[in-house]
Amino acid sequence: MQVLRNVFRRKVRVLLTISGITIGVLALVVMGSMAERISVMVSGGTRFYADKVTVTAEGGASMFGNSLLSLKKREEIKAVPGVLEVSASVGTLLDPEAGMSFGMPPILLGDDMRGDPYESFRIEYAAGRPLRAGELGSVVVGSDLVTRLGAEVGKQVTIRGEQFTVVGILDKTLTAPDMAVYMNLADAQRLFAQDLPEMIRSFVDVEDLVTTFTVYPAPGVDPEELAQTINETVSGVTATGPSFFQEQIANATRILNAILYGVAIISLVVGGLSVINTMTMSVSERTREIGVRKAIGASDRQIVRQFLTEAGVIGLLGGISGLVLGVIAATLGDIALARSNVDLFLVTPRLAIGSVVFAVVLGLVSGLYPSLHAARMRPVNALRYE
Amino acid sequence: MCPVIQAKDVHKRYVLGRNNYVDALRGVSLEIEPGEMVAVMGPSGSGKSTLLHILGCLDSLTAGEVWLDGRRVDNLSGRELVRLRREELGFIFQTFNLIPSLNALENVALAAQYAGKSRGAARQVALETLAAVNLPNHHQHRPSELSGGQQQRVAIARALVNRPKVIFGDEPTGNLDSASSEEIVALMKTINKAMGTTFVLVTHDPEVAGACGRVIHLLDGKVSS
Ligand SMILES: Nc1ncnc2c1ncn2[C@@H]1O[C@H](COP(=O)(O)OP(=O)(O)OP(=O)(O)O)[C@@H](O)[C@H]1O
Ligand SMILES: [Mg+2]
């Protein structure tokens, strides 16, 4: 209580300082909650690509590469030792005219579903049921596309100008399937071919079109090594193991995290500087008080402790109010974004605790120099000070 | 019996610049016996405050020796000095110097806490000491809510709370009207008689000096009589 009274001796100034920290912590919480959300998405994403080998046309290795492969390659790949099953799919942008967008673009995925029994990434259905192999004219819609397509189980949706019946809607997975529409391979091949330039279209056999093979390794076979073997034995394809995708995602998030946390830390450092300023002013205003305290028996350490506690309390108050505002901002932000079905913020316990602890530490570190300065004053000099 | 305070040829030089210094004390020697109440008088600038600070272990000296209770103290380490200030010495000031954010009780208890008492024990001894200085009420008042005389009582209680051997006062009545001044002098006299606490009081006030058993006169940094 005595600490609070000392802290609030100069109300306006201390409130300004606390607001400085508050803003810093607010930034840390908001930015950090975005980073936390991304890290959850990434761990979902890396799980999605785990234990599979993805095969695309040579040189066209990208997450949604659409260079063309021939279905005939399937048998060749299947013959590689260690391959359990190979599923063929056509993946393309849901809306080929779409420009750049934030995050993943919606995709359209047609699959022969041969891999389904071996798929380790379990998908739950919010409504309806999985697509059956060979079931033409039907789709399953990822959770982020429900509103956009107006999807409802049993109803029709329009995809690239054609009508499809929705048989299932996916639960949120926080990764690729959220932004995907699933259909059978033959449907996707047809839609894909329609969009090819005239010149190319006349050369390709629609039923032979494939953009990606997904290879499921036999039990005990390392996917990275299997990818290597496929690259060595099958011509004209590039096989990539899970680590490629994991690294690609990790790199992207690392940079994003650095930017997000960087912004937050800079604003906190500014808050810290204002603590140094406030504590320095407080110490010089209380020079005489420090002299008196020493004259009545305070040791240097007791003086340091007193001023450090005050600085720590300033940090703590700023940290708590910043956290509260940050949680409110993140919640309001998510409510505002809910209509577009985007979850952008995630305030995890470690972020919440970390921000407050950081604010306290910042207060202590910033208060250290002024406190030591206060403790080192000679009692008589401090007493004579008017 | 050995004197409670002994100064042997104490010099103090304030160095202000390369060839610029002030010799505030120029060989002060004195002895004060336990239980004495001594006034230090002299014109402004004669070195009274400087002497008080050096005897009270708040300032270092340039040459000479200071002994407290038979022990040399001018060469002690910082820790030892802190212990002395806590346990054996008390201070009161012209402007009272109570801590403005603390109430009367907390101001007194603070000194006891610095000396190592727990919160509860410090509070208890502070209550007793406030009663001893005739301020049994007003515990919750902040210094700004107290009269000058009341503030000086709190300050005396704060100086007294650890039962020191000596209490130093630098013009303790300098900011008080004559009625309060008389009360404070009477209070110090009572404490001096009842508890045997030694008082060393710098003063310009002949009334205060008159209440003391002895007057030490300083002139230009030396004892003049
Ligand atoms: N910190 C200091 N630095 C330099 N000179 C000082 C310092 N403190 C005191 N002096 C000088 O030392 C001399 C003695 O000062 P001191 O304060 O001891 O006098 P005093 O007798 O207490 O005077 P007063 O009655 O005005 O309080 C004065 O000339 C003063 O200017
Ligand atoms: Mg003086």
Side-chain angles (χ1 to χ4, degrees):
Chain A
M1 287 306 100
Q2 295 184 6
V3 176
L4 284 181
R5 258 186 270 152
N6 277 330
V7 166
F8 283 103
R9 218 184 267 191
R10 290 274 185 274
K11 287 189 190 59
V12 175
R13 189 176 70 204
V14 160
L15 286 177
L16 284 175
T17 309
I18 291 178
S19 333
I21 303 253
T22 302
I23 292 167
V25 173
L26 172 67
L28 184 66
V29 170
V30 169
M31 299 293 183
S33 66
M34 282 165 73
E36 293 286 90
R37 167 66 67 209
I38 288 163
S39 103
V40 166
M41 276 160 56
V42 168
S43 68
T46 48
R47 247 187 304 123
F48 182 63
Y49 290 106
D51 61 88
K52 282 174 248 183
V53 175
T54 306
V55 178
T56 51
E58 195 163 33
S62 83
M63 250 187 268
F64 306 105
N66 51 5
S67 313
L68 294 178
L69 278 168
S70 161
L71 194 53
K72 295 183 189 76
K73 284 276 175 211
R74 186 174 172 275
E75 292 312 315
E76 246 181 276
I77 296 167
K78 186 124 192 237
V80 173
V83 173
L84 180 62
E85 183 58 280
V86 179
S87 74
S89 53
V90 166
T92 178
L93 292 176
L94 183 62
D95 176 8
E97 263 88 60
M100 294 283 288
S101 71
F102 177 76
M104 294 184 192
I107 55 169
L108 186 160
L109 213 63
D111 199 275
D112 62 8
M113 288 179 229
R114 284 179 206 264
D116 282 12
Y118 313 106
E119 181 57 66
S120 64
F121 192 81
R122 284 285 147 241
I123 291 180
E124 302 291 329
Y125 285 77
R129 57 166 177 83
L131 208 55
R132 298 190 185 111
E135 184 181 26
L136 295 183
S138 301
V139 289
V140 163
V141 179
S143 72
D144 286 353
L145 295 176
V146 171
T147 331
R148 178 187 190 127
L149 295 174
E152 237 178 284
V153 173
K155 297 263 167 66
Q156 303 272 303
V157 290
T158 310
I159 290 162
R160 293 216 188 171
E162 286 190 26
Q163 295 291 315
F164 287 85
T165 309
V166 178
V167 298
I169 289 172
L170 299 180
D171 251 353
K172 222 169 169 46
T173 62
L174 298 175
T175 175
D178 290 355
M179 290 290 270
V181 170
Y182 293 87
M183 57 179 60
N184 266 284
L185 182 61
D187 282 336
Q189 284 171 328
R190 187 169 23 83
L191 293 182
F192 187 74
Q194 277 172 10
D195 238 55
L196 289 174
E198 196 80 37
M199 279 232 331
I200 302 174
R201 205 191 312 162
S202 52
F203 284 103
V204 299
D205 174 4
V206 173
E207 282 167 27
D208 192 42
L209 272 178
V210 172
T211 57
T212 312
F213 290 110
T214 305
V215 178
Y216 296 86
V221 175
D222 176 35
E224 303 298 340
E225 279 171 21
L226 185 58
Q228 187 81 25
T229 321
I230 293 172
N231 281 329
E232 282 161 9
T233 52
V234 182
S235 66
V237 301
T238 302
T240 37
S243 66
F244 173 79
F245 296 99
Q246 285 163 356
E247 263 162 41
Q248 227 178 22
I249 294 172
N251 277 338
T253 49
R254 213 170 290 139
I255 293 167
L256 198 57
N257 280 358
I259 294 170
L260 290 177
Y261 280 115
V263 169
I265 300 291
I266 288 169
S267 53
L268 264 175
V269 166
V270 173
L273 291 177
S274 85
V275 174
I276 297 182
N277 184 48
T278 299
M279 290 310 296
T280 306
M281 282 169 75
S282 172
V283 164
S284 74
E285 280 171 6
R286 286 152 74 185
T287 300
R288 197 175 175 79
E289 174 185 323
I290 294 162
V292 172
R293 283 176 184 267
K294 289 196 151 189
I296 66 169
S299 64
D300 289 6
R301 194 192 291 194
Q302 283 165 327
I303 299 287
V304 169
R305 195 188 306 152
Q306 179 199 340
F307 283 96
L308 267 190
T309 310
E310 289 179 21
V313 164
I314 291 177
L316 179 69
L317 293 176
I320 291 174
S321 55
L323 175 62
V324 169
L325 290 182
V327 170
I328 292 173
T331 312
L332 290 181
D334 269 346
I335 290 174
L337 290 170
R339 215 170 303 158
S340 42
N341 219 343
V342 181
D343 250 347
L344 194 53
F345 306 102
L346 179 65
V347 183
T348 55
R350 69 169 182 186
L351 176 65
I353 294 167
S355 332
V356 175
V357 169
F358 193 89
V360 172
V361 170
L362 189 77
L364 292 178
V365 170
S366 313
L368 193 61
Y369 173 75
S371 304
L372 288 176
H373 176 69
R376 286 209 198 98
M377 279 196 263
R378 301 272 303 279
V380 70
N381 294 344
L383 270 176
R384 284 204 192 250
Y385 183 93
E386 293 298 339
Chain B
M1 195 161 56
C2 78
V4 68
I5 297 172
Q6 204 173 7
K8 296 181 182 173
D9 198 24
V10 170
H11 290 254
K12 177 68 179 180
R13 171 174 289 185
Y14 292 108
V15 178
L16 307 170
R18 190 180 290 256
N19 285 316
N20 187 7
Y21 51 81
V22 180
D23 281 317
L25 297 179
R26 302 195 255 189
V28 173
S29 296
L30 53 80
E31 286 186 4
I32 296 171
E33 299 301 325
E36 262 198 287
M37 189 155 167
V38 177
V40 178
M41 298 186 81
S44 185
S46 58
K48 305 181 296 294
S49 297
T50 303
L51 177 63
L52 203 72
H53 291 146
I54 288 173
L55 296 180
C57 298
L58 293 178
D59 204 356
S60 57
L61 43 66
T62 313
E65 292 175 12
V66 175
W67 295 65
L68 283 182
D69 212 19
R71 181 165 173 231
R72 189 166 171 193
V73 295
D74 56 87
N75 53 3
L76 291 181
S77 69
R79 277 178 60 153
E80 281 293 304
L81 290 175
V82 168
R83 196 197 63 77
L84 271 181
R85 286 180 214 131
R86 280 177 184 170
E87 296 173 11
E88 308 201 5
L89 310 173
F91 280 90
I92 52 181
F93 307 91
Q94 179 172 1
T95 51
F96 323 127
N97 282 338
L98 298 176
I99 304 212
S101 57
L102 304 184
N103 66 31
L105 185 62
E106 290 165 341
N107 261 286
V108 179
L110 181 66
Q113 271 175 278
Y114 280 149
K117 283 211 165 56
S118 71
R119 239 166 211 283
R123 196 187 139 85
Q124 190 53 44
V125 67
L127 283 171
E128 289 164 19
T129 314
L130 279 170
V133 299
N134 295 328
L135 205 71
N137 306 313
H138 305 95
H139 294 164
Q140 306 304 326
H141 288 57
R142 299 278 183 89
S144 57
E145 298 160 347
L146 296 171
S147 72
Q150 289 169 329
Q151 286 189 62
Q152 198 60 300
R153 278 171 197 277
V154 176
I156 290 172
R158 181 176 69 181
L160 196 61
V161 74
N162 295 322
R163 301 294 178 261
K165 294 197 173 75
V166 187
I167 291 181
F168 296 93
D170 198 347
E171 302 192 33
T173 59
N175 271 27
L176 298 177
D177 59 55
S178 57
S180 314
S181 175
E182 254 172 60
E183 279 174 30
I184 292 297
V185 171
L187 173 63
M188 291 190 288
K189 189 109 195 156
T190 312
I191 293 167
N192 170 255
K193 284 274 172 302
M195 304 172 68
T197 312
T198 306
F199 277 84
V200 181
L201 306 173
V202 166
T203 187
H204 285 295
D205 183 349
E207 303 266 337
V208 177
C212 292
R214 177 154 70 108
V215 179
I216 295 172
H217 288 278
L218 278 192
L219 187 63
D220 296 334
K222 285 183 183 157
V223 179
S224 65
S225 67

